[in-house]
Amino acid sequence: MEAKTVVIKIRDSDPLCVSTTLLTEDSSVFYYLIEELNQTEIEIEDFTPETVTIFLTLLQDGTVGDISVSIFRELHKLAAVFNVTWLVEECRRWLKKKIEDATDYDSKLFVFEECRYIKNTWFGLIPQRANED
């Protein structure tokens, strides 16, 4: 039996054929789009091709190493938009580490701006677990 794929259309880049299993395993949004709405093409054009490619690679690998400062916001946003809870948590862990390690003006400014952005834009998007206050 041949594995099912979905075409991911990326801004200013060639489309990617991606396994439906890879997309739906950790994402309720992809699951809904693919399994419930039977979409065979999904446009992810609000993000840079680099970040979308990294996002898809992280879904495949299931682990996050160091995240580049330049893609953090988009990666966190992608994880939140597609409801990939483990990746949202990893992004937030990464940001917490950046907060703890911030000693110079530029790194403090970066973490302040990211925290403010998350609070104003994404806070509350991912529901907390029932056992969390």
Side-chain angles (χ1 to χ4, degrees):
M1 183 172 156
E2 193 173 311
K4 290 180 16 181
T5 60
V6 170
V7 175
I8 302 291
K9 293 184 175 183
I10 303 173
R11 171 180 75 199
D12 301 327
S13 187
D14 292 331
L16 302 171
C17 288
V18 182
S19 160
T20 59
T21 304
L22 174 69
L23 296 172
T24 60
E25 189 171 55
D26 292 327
S27 170
S28 60
V29 175
F30 278 128
Y31 182 87
Y32 179 74
L33 292 172
I34 295 166
E35 299 297 332
E36 302 294 327
L37 298 180
N38 297 313
Q39 290 192 7
T40 57
E41 292 183 357
I42 299 172
E43 291 183 12
I44 306 180
E45 296 185 342
D46 293 338
F47 302 92
T48 64
E50 175 192 16
T51 306
V52 174
T53 303
I54 290 169
F55 173 72
L56 295 172
T57 301
L58 292 173
L59 288 180
Q60 182 175 357
D61 294 347
T63 59
V64 177
D66 193 27
I67 300 170
S68 168
V69 168
S70 63
I71 66 155
F72 169 76
R73 184 178 290 183
E74 278 200 333
L75 183 61
H76 181 255
K77 189 175 178 182
L78 268 168
V81 165
F82 289 102
N83 197 23
V84 181
T85 306
W86 70 266
L87 186 51
V88 169
E89 291 171 2
E90 287 295 318
C91 286
R92 290 183 180 174
R93 240 181 250 120
W94 178 88
L95 183 58
K96 182 179 179 187
K97 179 82 170 115
K98 287 289 186 196
I99 292 168
E100 292 167 354
D101 294 347
T103 56
D104 61 88
Y105 175 79
D106 288 338
S107 58
K108 287 179 182 182
L109 181 61
F110 169 77
V111 297
F112 172 78
E113 288 175 346
E114 290 308 310
C115 290
R116 185 183 61 181
Y117 177 81
I118 290 168
K119 179 189 175 294
N120 292 339
T121 309
W122 297 105
F123 189 76
L125 183 64
I126 303 296
Q128 291 185 336
R129 289 184 218 134
N131 62 349
E132 291 181 351
D133 292 332

